[in-house]
Amino acid sequence: MSTPHNAADKGEIAERILLPGDPLRAKFIAENFLENARQYSSVRNILGFTGTYRGVPVSVQGTGMGIPSIAIYVHELIREYGVKKLIRVGTCGAMHNDIQLRDIVIAQAASTDSSLIRNIFGPSINFAPIADFDLLSKTVEQAKAKGLSFKVGNIISVDRFYDDDIDNDRLCKYGILAVEMETAALYTLAAQFHVQAMALFTASDHLLKGESCSAEERQTSFREMISVALDTIIQD
Ligand code: HPA
């Protein structure tokens, strides 16, 4: 069995999966963190791998950028392949003065300017896409145990990376910590299909301070985030 977007056979994808946006990050995670990793798909260059981490089967797959792209992959992972725990590991633009570049942002909830929620619920309900509480609390425990600098709260998943019209001041005023482009879809699909999802990011750029990470800084903070995500996802 395969889907139009995934060459994996049933059973080739683990119930626990990490989801970076960038397929090459999926390859990096498979090669540097998993044991006996085997590639199951490269359709559209969206690479997916399954291996083990501390003896537990774990997969890792790219999602591409933006809500329509992640929604395709996540829908199929849950419905066709039976994935039960999904952790997005991404980057974000920080929108809060207490967040430094390279800090970890843990998305308790994901606001969005996408039409996704409206298309499902109609104009009168503003559904709130939220993280699975169990995965969220375990992620926080892991980040604390590793002594990492992190912040937990609401983020926004936007449809436009280049958006001159976005009102950052208002978003900040209401406690939005960061901007990225996928999590609202992940949390909404997890709610629809009753599975567990969580997202965490490293702050790769800072919208208020106008700073961004060097390539090397990105790599180090990315490694820290991956170890938090893997030590969380293998727990029962
Ligand atoms: N905007 C949207 N998505 C992002 C950003 C940003 O500034 N940085 C990392 N992902």
Side-chain angles (χ1 to χ4, degrees):
M1 187 210 76
S2 61
T3 76
H5 315 100
N6 198 323
D9 281 328
K10 245 196 168 79
E12 282 192 303
I13 303 181
E15 285 192 356
R16 302 156 202 258
I17 195 163
L18 296 197
L19 301 169
D22 180 351
L24 292 180
R25 289 244 163 113
K27 186 165 187 274
F28 177 87
I29 295 166
E31 286 172 352
N32 290 278
F33 289 87
L34 301 185
E35 275 150 27
N36 303 316
R38 190 183 154 273
Q39 188 174 315
Y40 59 73
S41 187
S42 63
V43 176
R44 290 176 182 248
N45 283 330
I46 291 289
L47 308 177
F49 304 82
T50 300
T52 58
Y53 181 76
R54 299 189 198 274
V56 179
V58 175
S59 294
V60 55
Q61 185 183 304
T63 63
M65 290 177 282
I67 280 174
S69 183
I70 192 172
I72 290 170
Y73 295 106
V74 165
H75 187 107
E76 293 180 355
L77 286 168
I78 299 170
R79 290 306 300 274
E80 307 299 330
Y81 294 101
V83 174
K84 299 272 189 281
K85 281 184 204 267
L86 306 94
I87 300 188
R88 167 163 153 70
V89 283
T91 56
C92 68
M95 299 183 65
H96 197 286
N97 278 320
D98 289 353
I99 301 172
Q100 314 298 323
L101 279 189
R102 299 184 43 191
D103 281 359
I104 289 178
V105 176
I106 298 173
Q108 184 178 13
S111 303
T112 187
D113 65 2
S114 159
S115 60
L116 169 85
I117 305 295
R118 200 170 54 247
N119 287 345
I120 299 171
F121 291 94
S124 60
I125 291 177
N126 293 307
F127 175 76
I130 57 168
D132 174 76
F133 183 73
D134 185 54
L135 281 182
L136 179 78
S137 48
K138 287 183 168 125
T139 302
V140 169
E141 276 168 28
Q142 285 299 327
K144 272 190 191 157
K146 293 178 199 298
L148 301 175
S149 182
F150 69 93
K151 209 152 172 61
V152 184
N154 201 355
I155 60 103
I156 185 163
S157 304
V158 297
D159 268 350
R160 284 192 288 172
F161 185 91
Y162 299 106
D163 185 353
D164 294 338
D165 305 315
I166 194 163
D167 187 344
N168 286 337
D169 290 341
R170 179 181 293 154
L171 293 170
C172 285
K173 196 168 138 192
Y174 281 79
I176 299 279
L177 302 178
V179 57
E180 55 81 79
M181 301 186 70
E182 293 83 15
T183 300
L186 172 64
Y187 287 0
T188 302
L189 285 162
Q192 182 180 359
F193 297 121
H194 310 291
V195 297
Q196 294 178 274
M198 239 293 305
L200 68 166
F201 325 102
T202 56
S204 60
D205 42 87
H206 207 298
L207 273 61
L208 307 182
K209 300 178 185 174
E211 304 164 342
S212 56
C213 278
S214 68
E216 197 183 322
E217 286 171 333
R218 266 174 210 249
Q219 202 65 277
T220 314
S221 47
F222 185 71
R223 277 180 174 274
E224 290 167 348
M225 173 177 62
I226 297 307
S227 74
V228 168
L230 284 168
D231 285 323
T232 299
I233 208 164
I234 59 169
Q235 295 181 49
D236 285 332

